[in-house]
Amino acid sequence: MDADQLLKWISEHTPVPNFGFWGFSVSSEGNIGGYVLDGYHHGELAANMALKILAGEKPENIFPVTDDLGKYMFSQQGLAKWNISLPKEIEKNTLWVK
């Protein structure tokens, strides 16, 4: 199934607000928003770990790396649908989408 169609169906049928952590999922017809991860940065972290393995380092010796570089992204229409307002500190750091 197409991801956009699935997100739209969920948005239309969910009894609660739906949040997400991938930017592509945030829209007026998808997830209402959240703290989204940067897919490019996520890929860089994975590539660096792969390069270490290819260079001969054992995977069990690689310290786990977590991707915590992200940003707030919200749909104004999505928030309005659920009558949700963001705290001012989050609102001023939010990337707004249609």
Side-chain angles (χ1 to χ4, degrees), residues 6-14 18 27-32 81-82:
L6 179 60
L7 287 165
K8 183 177 180 180
W9 185 91
I10 291 169
S11 178
E12 291 172 351
H13 294 89
T14 184
N18 47 313
S27 72
S28 61
E29 295 183 335
N31 291 323
I32 66 172
K81 173 183 174 181
W82 294 98

Side-chain angles (χ1 to χ4, degrees), residues 46-60 62:
N48 287 332
M49 289 173 35
L51 288 172
K52 288 179 182 180
I53 294 167
L54 292 171
E57 192 167 344
K58 292 183 178 183
E60 60 267 21
I62 298 174

Side-chain angles (χ1 to χ4, degrees), residues 21-79:
F21 57 87
W22 294 112
F24 73 85
S25 73
V26 180
S27 72
S28 61
E29 295 183 335
N31 291 323
I32 66 172
Y35 188 77
V36 300
L37 298 177
D38 181 329
Y40 184 84
H41 180 67
H42 196 81
E44 279 184 322
L45 292 173
N48 287 332
M49 289 173 35
L51 288 172
K52 288 179 182 180
I53 294 167
L54 292 171
E57 192 167 344
K58 292 183 178 183
E60 60 267 21
N61 294 334
I62 298 174
F63 187 75
V65 178
T66 57
D67 182 5
D68 58 0
L69 181 63
K71 60 185 169 249
Y72 292 109
M73 182 183 288
F74 287 94
S75 163
Q76 290 177 319
Q77 290 176 313
L79 291 173

